[in-house]
């Protein structure tokens, strides 16, 4: 069997195709003033290989692209249109512990969004946290003040 194994190494077919990229959604912030800007960005991204959907929200200056794509290539393609672009830097307001922490609140952010920054979590012995544990909705007779 040693000779057959040796010969089979010469006869095997190896695939040089690259693996398919995973399905993902890329959100990009792009300043768009008119329908022409919106159309130029949409057509630039839509012509990329692997793109399934392109959603342009001009009011928020936002482009959402879904498909089997590389996020950096999408950003580069949008920048090639002559527009200033960056990855979407905002998160929904209700997902942030302290939305008004330094550098999180941004006046230019769309309504309902704040900038995605590292949040400071309060220490466990903070007074706010201790007060919330005094009363329990599960057991109303367990009030620790009485």
């Amino acid at each position: 069997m040693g000779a057959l194994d040796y010969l089979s190494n010469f006869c095997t077919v190896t695939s040089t195709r690259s693996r398919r990229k995973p399905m993902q959604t890329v959100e990009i912030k792009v300043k768009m003033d008119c329908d022409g800007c919106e159309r130029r960005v949409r057509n630039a991204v839509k012509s990329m290989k692997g793109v399934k959907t392109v959603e342009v929200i001009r009011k928020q200056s936002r482009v959402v692209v879904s498909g089997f794509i590389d996020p950096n290539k999408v950003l580069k393609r949008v920048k090639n249109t002559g527009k200033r672009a960056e990855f979407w830097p905002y998160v929904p307001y209700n997902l942030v512990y302290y939305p008004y922490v330094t550098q999180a609140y941004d006046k230019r952010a769309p309504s309902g969004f704040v900038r995605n920054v590292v949040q400071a979590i309060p220490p466990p012995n903070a007074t706010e946290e201790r007060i919330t544990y005094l009363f329990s909705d599960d057991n109303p007779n367990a009030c620790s003040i009485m």
Side-chain angles (χ1 to χ4, degrees), residues 105-119:
Y105 183 70
D106 189 1
K107 292 181 182 177
R108 292 174 285 159
S111 62
F113 288 92
V114 292
R115 203 167 262 288
N116 188 11
V117 296
V118 177
Q119 295 288 315

Side-chain angles (χ1 to χ4, degrees), residues 26 28 45 48 51 65 69-79 87:
V26 180
I28 299 175
V45 175
M48 290 181 68
V51 172
V65 182
I69 50 176
D70 181 25
N72 293 321
K73 287 183 180 179
V74 174
L75 182 65
K76 186 177 179 181
R77 179 68 68 98
V78 171
K79 284 183 177 181
F87 289 115

Side-chain angles (χ1 to χ4, degrees), residues 56-114:
V56 178
I57 308 166
R58 188 174 15 161
K59 191 173 185 179
Q60 293 183 350
S61 298
R62 182 178 184 181
V63 177
V64 181
V65 182
S66 297
F68 301 98
I69 50 176
D70 181 25
N72 293 321
K73 287 183 180 179
V74 174
L75 182 65
K76 186 177 179 181
R77 179 68 68 98
V78 171
K79 284 183 177 181
N80 285 343
T81 63
K83 297 288 178 186
R84 217 171 117 214
E86 63 178 326
F87 289 115
W88 186 252
Y90 305 116
V91 293
Y93 178 84
N94 57 356
L95 296 180
V96 180
Y97 196 77
Y98 288 123
Y100 294 105
V101 72
T102 306
Q103 300 167 349
Y105 183 70
D106 189 1
K107 292 181 182 177
R108 292 174 285 159
S111 62
F113 288 92
V114 292

Side-chain angles (χ1 to χ4, degrees), residues 38-54:
E38 181 179 336
R39 186 174 45 251
R40 191 173 1 165
V41 170
R42 181 187 308 272
N43 290 337
V45 175
K46 192 167 40 172
S47 65
M48 290 181 68
K49 183 180 176 184
V51 172
K52 297 295 179 193
T53 62
V54 178

